[in-house]
Amino acid sequence: MAFNWKKILATALSVAVAAYLLLAVTAFNKPEGKAKVCTQVKINIADAAVDGFLNADAIKRMLQQKGVYPLGKAMHEVNVRLIEETIGRSPFVAKAEVCKTDGGFVEINLSQRMPVIRVMANNGDDYYVDSHGGIMQKTHYVSDIIVATGNISKGYARRVLTQVGNTIAADKFWQSQVVQLNVLPDGTMEMVPRVGDNIVYLGSPSGLQAKLDRLRKFYKYGLSRVGWDRYSYISVEFGNQIICKKRHHAPGARPAGQ
C-alpha cells in the first residue's frame, strides 16, 4: 500500500499548527500575572538630592493611605493609572509615571516642583514659588531657601520673583550668599547677604545677572580688602558703578547719643 507522504505531512503540519494556536489562545486568555504578586516597589524622584518637599517615604505613605500601594498585591490588580492619579494630586508633584515589569516589580518615576523662594508678604501671604512660577502653599518647611518680604502680590511673585529665584539658584555662590529679598513699594528690590552686615540695593530686578556679576567682583576686589562691614548700604542699581554708604559706627553698636 503506497503512502501519500504529502497528504500525511500536510495533516501533521495542520495538527501542529492547531496545537500551537490552542496553547497560544490559552496563554493569551490567562489573566495577566494571576499567580504573581508585586515583590518590589521602586520609587525614583528626579532631583532627589535637592532640598524639596518629596522623598520615597512620603510617596509610600501617600499610596498606603489611599490603599493603592502595590507591594504584596497580585500584579493584575495593580492599577497603574490609579497610582499615577493618586500621586499627581499632590501639589508638590510635577509629573508621575508608573509601570509594571514581568518580574513582579512596580517602578514609580516622578519629578517634583522645586521651591525657589518663600514669600512672606506684608499682606500676610505666606507661600512658596516654584521654579516654573507656580504658587505652592506652605504646608512644609524648606530650609536654606531665600525669603522674600515686602510689597508682594501673587502676580509679582509669579512674574518677577520666579525669574529672580531661578537666577540666584543657578549660581552656587549666590545660592549660598543670599538670605533675604525685600520688595519696596515701588517694585525695586533690596538684598540681604549672608556675609557682611549691609544691605544691597538691586533697584529694578531687570538685568539682575549683570548686577550680581558686578557685585561679585566688588566682593572679591573691594570688600575682601577693606572689610565686609565697612559699608552699611551698597547700591548696584546703575550700570558700571557701585555706590556705597560708609558705616559711621561699629556693627551692632548704637550711634553716639542713642
Side-chain angles (χ1 to χ4, degrees):
M1 179 179 178
F3 290 98
N4 189 336
W5 291 108
K6 290 185 178 180
K7 186 176 181 179
I8 293 174
L9 184 60
T11 302
L13 183 60
S14 298
V15 172
V17 171
Y20 172 78
L21 291 176
L22 179 61
L23 291 173
V25 170
T26 301
F28 181 80
N29 289 329
K30 182 180 179 180
E32 181 184 356
K34 183 176 181 180
K36 295 181 180 180
V37 298
C38 175
T39 58
Q40 182 178 341
V41 179
K42 188 174 182 181
I43 301 175
N44 304 310
I45 302 176
D47 298 323
V50 182
D51 190 8
F53 291 111
L54 296 175
N55 55 48
D57 289 338
I59 297 300
K60 178 180 177 179
R61 288 194 300 270
M62 181 193 307
L63 297 176
Q64 288 175 329
Q65 290 171 359
K66 298 299 181 180
V68 295
Y69 190 63
L71 187 64
K73 291 186 177 182
M75 289 297 285
H76 73 279
E77 294 179 351
V78 176
N79 190 326
V80 170
R81 180 64 60 85
L82 182 58
I83 294 175
E84 290 177 345
E85 291 175 352
T86 301
I87 297 174
R89 293 191 191 103
S90 169
F92 311 120
V93 173
K95 184 180 181 181
E97 294 181 348
V98 181
C99 63
K100 297 188 289 185
T101 70
D102 293 336
F105 298 166
V106 173
E107 187 167 329
I108 300 173
N109 298 294
L110 61 92
S111 57
Q112 58 181 325
R113 297 171 62 188
M114 299 305 302
V116 291
I117 286 180
R118 178 181 177 181
V119 174
M120 299 178 68
N122 287 349
N123 61 9
D125 285 347
D126 190 352
Y127 54 86
Y128 292 103
V129 181
D130 72 15
S131 57
H132 298 288
I135 301 297
M136 305 171 67
Q137 295 306 315
K138 191 187 70 63
T139 59
H140 290 65
Y141 173 72
V142 178
S143 61
D144 296 329
I145 190 170
I146 300 169
V147 175
T149 57
N151 296 264
I152 306 172
S153 66
K154 288 187 177 179
Y156 183 92
R158 293 189 185 99
R159 186 178 63 257
V160 178
L161 289 184
T162 298
Q163 296 182 16
V164 173
N166 285 336
T167 299
I168 294 173
D171 188 311
K172 290 184 178 180
F173 173 79
W174 290 116
Q175 188 178 28
S176 62
Q177 175 69 359
V178 181
V179 175
Q180 181 180 344
L181 299 169
N182 185 50
V183 180
L184 302 176
D186 62 357
T188 58
M189 191 176 295
E190 296 173 328
M191 183 180 82
V192 179
R194 187 178 303 277
V195 178
D197 186 18
N198 52 60
I199 301 296
V200 177
Y201 181 63
L202 299 173
S204 166
S206 61
L208 178 61
Q209 187 62 62
K211 295 176 181 178
L212 292 178
D213 290 343
R214 195 161 67 252
L215 182 60
R216 191 202 296 254
K217 291 179 181 178
F218 179 65
Y219 279 176
K220 183 176 181 180
Y221 300 107
L223 292 187
S224 62
R225 297 179 180 179
V226 303
W228 289 91
D229 296 322
R230 183 180 180 86
Y231 303 106
S232 62
Y233 205 77
I234 301 170
S235 174
V236 293
E237 177 184 14
F238 303 110
N240 299 320
Q241 63 176 315
I242 294 178
I243 301 173
C244 301
K245 180 180 179 181
K246 283 187 178 181
R247 189 182 306 281
H248 297 293
H249 57 280
R254 291 186 176 184
Q258 292 190 14

